[in-house]
């Protein structure tokens, strides 16, 4: 096929496989990944619940402003016996007594306890908000009380659905029209949707823009990552991958910092998305992928870019290489015809391999187990990020730390895999995560530092588990259908990320520790099932279904 006629890694070695050119552009691409974090995680703050209480018309006598926590509040609103939090949506019924005849009397008696029947509680439909607190879509679109909580959690699920539909479409467009176009156009459209979302006039408009924001940005991450890895030679690919991956948690942390400072969902969405419009200028800064240009047959552009890379890195393309490129250019049309024929043959072969895999009990069980592991990893990974505000301590600080803890995990994971093996590492990190999640249930709330520390180590371990799973999945399945089976497993992973935003509903109905209990049980089960995977450390990656079946045999 065409892409096998030229050794692109060899070309990069000649022009500099990790020189100034690569470092500069990895920095620029990293900024793109910073921005994608805002599209993915902004809903954590824009949909956050607010501090509010029932408006007590008999006592809240001001016509302009209301005190959130007046002296008479204990007499008019019930409190939770466990954590002493006031009820947001219920109040005591007012007695029919002579004292309750006019506003003046109510001011004099200051809403005395005797005026209210503590055994009779009703729901209210007017509310008073805490002054100086954050504002979210709760107050903008009147999303109050337990019965409407789903309107907040469904936003995160819709965000992940947008990404789900985006991935195959953006992948096709990226292969056809180039990585650069997807990165720039996707970023600008996502930023536009994000800004318009901050100007939403109703809940429906907000939800539609949430979907399209995620849809446009969904393919930006993968296109950026593929382009960044393609910039460097084989020896530096793992390091470049780690550097690029580290930008995303930094972007998540910056989202937390910005909302902590702004505290207003409309201003937050406008400020966090404005830089995205600047990607329109990136056409003159970010280059197109040389790898894509060569495989797409754009040889003239590839030659010019290779010359530029060599010059920028202080290298020079040899005359022999230039001749090879010119020869390849002249024969490209013929090779494309050959490649199309090969593709048809390969497609037929892949279909046969897929059928063989689906008749293999061992591979079917492996796909099912791997898909379950993907679903649990994404559920816990995203769930811990989204639930970080519910643990004791500062909500914003917890979210920021929960994001930044991923960075050391990314740098540690390669060492762990190479020294401990894939299977044991996958199992151990999930079991550690399970233990830490359940242990928080037994730590007193006043031990803030210990609670936060356990939570962060749990996020640290699930991050390592997730990174291992990416590589492990690729190593367990045969080359001829690797992408197809990888896609099946990652598709089930998206189910986990769609469910994760719903975990705050568990807090509403089953208590604050219910999400952590769910994560703990899920991680325990998935960790034990990971022991059924074959070990792939220092094993040749399987090329055929038969070779994949033999992985894990004592003789293999």
């Amino acid at each position: 096929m065409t892409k096998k006629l030229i050794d692109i890694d060899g070309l990069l070695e000649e022009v500099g496989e990790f020189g100034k050119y690569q470092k500069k552009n990895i920095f620029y691409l990293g900024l793109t990944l910073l921005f994608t974090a805002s599209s993915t995680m902004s809903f954590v703050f824009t949909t956050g619940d607010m501090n509010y209480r029932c408006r007590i018309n008999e006592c809240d006598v001001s016509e302009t402003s209301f005190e959130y926590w007046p002296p008479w509040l204990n007499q008019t609103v019930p409190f939770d016996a466990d954590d002493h939090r006031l009820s947001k949506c219920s109040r005591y019924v007012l007695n029919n007594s002579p004292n309750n005849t006019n506003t003046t009397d109510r001011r004099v008696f200051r809403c005395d306890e005797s005026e209210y029947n503590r055994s009779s509680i009703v729901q209210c439909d007017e509310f008073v908000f805490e002054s100086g607190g954050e504002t979210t879509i709760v107050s903008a679109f009147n999303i109050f009380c337990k019965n409407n909580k789903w309107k907040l959690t469904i936003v995160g699920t819709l965000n992940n659905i947008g990404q789900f539909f985006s991935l195959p479409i953006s992948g096709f467009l990226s292969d056809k029209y180039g990585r650069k176009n997807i990165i720039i156009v996707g970023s600008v459209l996502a930023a536009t949707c994000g800004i318009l979302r901050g100007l939403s006039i109703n809940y429906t408009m907000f939800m539609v823009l949430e979907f399209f924001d995620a849809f446009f940005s969904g393919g930006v991450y993968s296109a950026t990552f593929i382009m960044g890895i393609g910039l460097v030679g084989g020896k530096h690919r793992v390091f470049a991958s780690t550097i690029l991956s580290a930008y995303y948690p930094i972007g998540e942390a910056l989202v937390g910092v910005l909302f902590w400072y702004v505290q207003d969902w409309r201003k937050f969405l406008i400020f966090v998305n404005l830089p995205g419009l600047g990607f329109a200028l990136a056409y003159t800064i970010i280059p197109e992928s040389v790898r894509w240009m060569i495989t797409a047959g754009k040889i003239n552009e590839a030659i010019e870019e290779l010359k530029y890379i060599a010059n920028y890195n202080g290298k020079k393309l040899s005359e022999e290489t230039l001749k090879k490129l010119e020869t390849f250019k002249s024969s490209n049309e013929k090779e494309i015809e050959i490649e199309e024929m090969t593709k048809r043959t390969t497609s037929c072969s892949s279909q046969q391999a897929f059928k063989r895999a689906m008749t293999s009990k061992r591979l079917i069980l492996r796909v099912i187990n791997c898909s379950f592991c993907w679903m649990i990893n994404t559920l816990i990974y995203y769930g811990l990020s989204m639930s970080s505000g519910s643990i004791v301590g500062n909500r914003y600080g917890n979210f920021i730390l929960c994001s930044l803890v991923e960075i050391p995990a990314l740098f540690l994971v390669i060492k762990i895999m190479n020294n401990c093996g894939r299977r044991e590492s996958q199992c151990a990190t999930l079991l550690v995560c399970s233990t830490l999640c359940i242990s928080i249930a037994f730590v007193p709330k006043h031990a803030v530092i210990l609670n936060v520390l356990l939570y962060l180590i749990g996020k640290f371990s699930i991050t390592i588990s997730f990174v291992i799973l990416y590589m492990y999945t690729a190593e367990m399945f045969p080359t001829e259908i690797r992408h197809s089976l990888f896609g099946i497993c990652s598709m089930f992973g998206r189910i986990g990320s769609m469910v994760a935003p719903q975990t705050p509903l568990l807090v509403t109905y089953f208590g604050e520790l219910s999400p952590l209990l769910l994560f703990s049980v899920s991680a325990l089960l998935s960790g034990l099932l990971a022991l059924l995977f074959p070990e792939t450390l220092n094993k040749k990656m399987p090329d055929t279904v038969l070779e994949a079946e033999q992985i894990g045999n004592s003789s293999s």
Side-chain angles (χ1 to χ4, degrees):
M1 293 191 296
T2 305
K3 57 185 175 185
K4 289 187 176 181
L5 295 178
I6 288 187
D7 181 5
I8 301 177
D9 282 340
L11 290 174
L12 288 173
E13 284 184 25
E14 189 171 332
V15 300
E17 55 183 339
F18 199 66
K20 290 190 297 181
Y21 174 89
Q22 283 82 4
K23 293 173 183 176
K24 177 193 74 171
N25 285 297
I26 283 177
F27 171 75
Y28 290 144
L29 292 172
L31 296 180
T32 306
L33 297 179
L34 284 180
F35 174 71
T36 60
S38 67
S39 294
T40 306
M41 300 304 294
S42 63
F43 74 86
V44 174
F45 295 103
T46 59
T47 62
D49 205 1
M50 297 174 61
N51 290 328
Y52 57 89
R53 64 167 175 84
C54 287
R55 177 180 173 180
I56 312 298
N57 289 323
E58 310 86 53
C59 306
D60 288 306
V61 293
S62 172
E63 297 297 330
T64 56
S65 62
F66 304 98
E67 186 179 353
Y68 176 67
W69 204 288
W72 43 259
L73 191 61
N74 289 1
Q75 320 304 332
T76 58
V77 174
F79 281 69
D80 188 289
D82 295 327
D83 56 15
H84 302 291
R85 293 183 181 179
L86 63 85
S87 174
K88 291 183 173 183
C89 303
S90 59
R91 51 160 292 175
Y92 296 129
V93 175
L94 182 68
N95 288 323
N96 293 319
S97 66
N99 290 335
N100 300 317
T101 57
N102 56 59
T103 302
T104 303
D105 288 339
R106 288 193 289 273
R107 289 179 180 176
V108 172
F109 286 96
R110 299 177 60 82
C111 300
D112 190 85
E113 180 178 2
S114 62
E115 298 184 358
Y116 291 87
N117 182 359
R118 284 176 164 265
S119 63
S120 181
I121 299 175
V122 294
Q123 299 297 304
C124 53
D125 54 12
E126 293 183 279
F127 304 92
V128 173
F129 292 91
E130 182 180 23
S131 60
E134 65 182 43
T135 62
T136 69
I137 65 171
V138 169
S139 58
F141 305 135
N142 298 320
I143 306 173
F144 300 112
C145 304
K146 185 183 294 186
N147 291 340
N148 286 322
K149 193 70 177 284
W150 65 272
K151 290 185 178 181
L152 300 178
T153 59
I154 200 66
V155 175
T157 297
L158 187 67
N159 183 288
N160 281 279
I161 292 173
Q163 296 179 59
F164 180 83
F165 283 106
S166 169
L167 290 172
I169 296 173
S170 60
F172 169 78
L173 294 175
S174 173
D175 288 339
K176 186 173 180 62
Y177 299 108
R179 321 301 187 206
K180 178 177 176 178
N181 288 317
I182 291 297
I183 293 170
I184 295 174
V185 175
S187 296
V188 172
L189 290 176
T192 303
C193 289
I195 292 171
L196 292 175
R197 200 160 84 253
L199 303 174
S200 297
I201 58 175
N202 55 49
Y203 180 74
T204 302
M205 178 180 175
F206 181 89
M207 292 292 281
V208 170
L209 290 168
E210 181 76 42
F211 174 85
F212 282 106
D213 188 347
F215 179 83
F216 290 129
S217 68
V220 173
Y221 184 94
S222 55
T224 302
F225 205 84
I226 291 170
M227 185 171 176
I229 299 304
L231 286 172
V232 302
K235 288 186 263 185
H236 302 277
R237 208 162 288 151
V238 172
F239 180 73
S241 171
T242 304
I243 293 296
L244 285 169
S245 298
Y247 273 92
Y248 188 82
I250 294 174
E252 287 183 306
L254 290 175
V255 167
V257 170
L258 180 61
F259 196 85
W260 193 357
Y261 176 76
V262 174
Q263 298 273 299
D264 180 275
W265 72 277
R266 292 189 186 275
K267 293 178 182 177
F268 165 73
L269 284 175
I270 292 172
F271 291 160
V272 82
N273 284 288
L274 272 177
L277 298 180
F279 284 103
L281 305 175
Y283 269 107
T284 60
I285 300 174
I286 298 177
E288 182 55 88
S289 167
V290 170
R291 292 177 185 271
W292 178 81
M293 287 191 285
I294 290 176
T295 56
K298 299 179 180 295
I299 311 304
N300 284 332
E301 293 92 327
I303 293 174
E304 291 303 314
E305 188 63 28
L306 285 167
K307 288 179 179 178
Y308 177 78
I309 296 172
N311 182 62
Y312 200 91
N313 287 340
K315 304 280 186 177
K316 187 177 180 181
L317 272 176
S318 66
E319 291 298 324
E320 181 182 355
T321 300
L322 287 172
K323 287 180 181 178
K324 285 182 180 179
L325 287 168
E326 290 295 338
T327 301
F328 174 75
K329 171 187 169 185
S330 62
S331 61
N332 190 50
E333 290 185 5
K334 185 180 294 185
E335 294 296 340
I336 287 176
E337 293 178 5
I338 296 173
E339 182 175 10
E340 290 301 320
M341 293 176 62
T342 307
K343 279 182 179 178
R344 287 192 289 270
T345 305
T346 303
S347 176
C348 182
S349 175
S350 297
Q351 290 176 9
Q352 293 174 351
F354 191 83
K355 289 179 180 178
R356 288 198 301 273
M358 291 301 100
T359 58
S360 168
K361 181 180 178 181
R362 175 172 291 186
L363 285 188
I364 289 176
L365 291 175
R366 192 179 299 171
V367 169
I368 293 172
N369 192 9
C370 189
S371 297
F372 179 75
C373 195
W374 267 85
M375 185 168 62
I376 298 305
N377 268 266
T378 55
L379 170 67
I380 300 174
Y381 175 83
Y382 289 105
L384 286 177
S385 292
M386 296 169 193
S387 301
S388 58
S390 64
I391 59 175
V392 293
N394 183 284
R395 176 192 177 195
Y396 308 104
N398 291 340
F399 180 85
I400 293 166
L401 290 174
C402 199
S403 300
L404 294 179
V405 78
E406 296 180 33
I407 297 175
L410 292 170
F411 285 93
L412 182 63
V413 66
I414 302 300
K415 186 176 180 65
I416 290 176
M417 280 195 295
N418 290 336
N419 291 342
C420 305
R422 286 28 167 172
R423 180 173 57 194
E424 285 73 17
S425 298
Q426 188 78 75
C427 173
T429 50
L430 285 167
L431 294 184
V432 168
C433 180
S434 174
T435 303
L436 291 165
C437 287
I438 194 66
S439 64
I440 295 176
F442 300 98
V443 177
K445 286 187 177 182
H446 64 265
V448 176
I449 295 178
L450 182 57
N451 271 282
V452 174
L453 183 62
L454 292 174
Y455 200 93
L456 292 178
I457 299 175
K459 180 64 181 298
F460 181 88
S461 61
I462 197 63
T463 299
I464 293 177
S465 174
F466 207 174
V467 176
I468 291 171
L469 188 59
Y470 262 96
M471 182 175 291
Y472 205 1
T473 304
E475 293 177 336
M476 285 191 289
F477 298 118
T479 302
E480 50 191 359
I481 51 172
R482 179 171 294 127
H483 199 166
S484 298
L485 298 183
F486 191 102
I488 290 173
C489 296
S490 61
M491 180 185 69
F492 278 94
R494 279 292 164 190
I495 295 176
S497 65
M498 291 177 193
V499 172
Q502 300 300 319
T503 52
L505 283 179
L506 296 176
V507 176
T508 302
Y509 293 100
F510 301 105
E512 290 186 2
L513 295 177
S514 51
L516 290 172
L517 294 176
L518 172 65
F519 299 154
S520 179
V521 173
S522 301
L524 174 63
L525 180 58
S526 185
L528 294 175
L529 289 174
L531 294 174
L532 299 178
F533 289 136
E535 180 55 70
T536 58
L537 178 63
N538 297 325
K539 299 271 182 78
K540 174 184 174 293
M541 289 181 71
D543 292 318
T544 65
V545 172
L546 180 60
E547 289 178 358
E549 287 179 310
Q550 292 174 344
I551 294 179
N553 291 342
S554 56
S555 58
S556 62

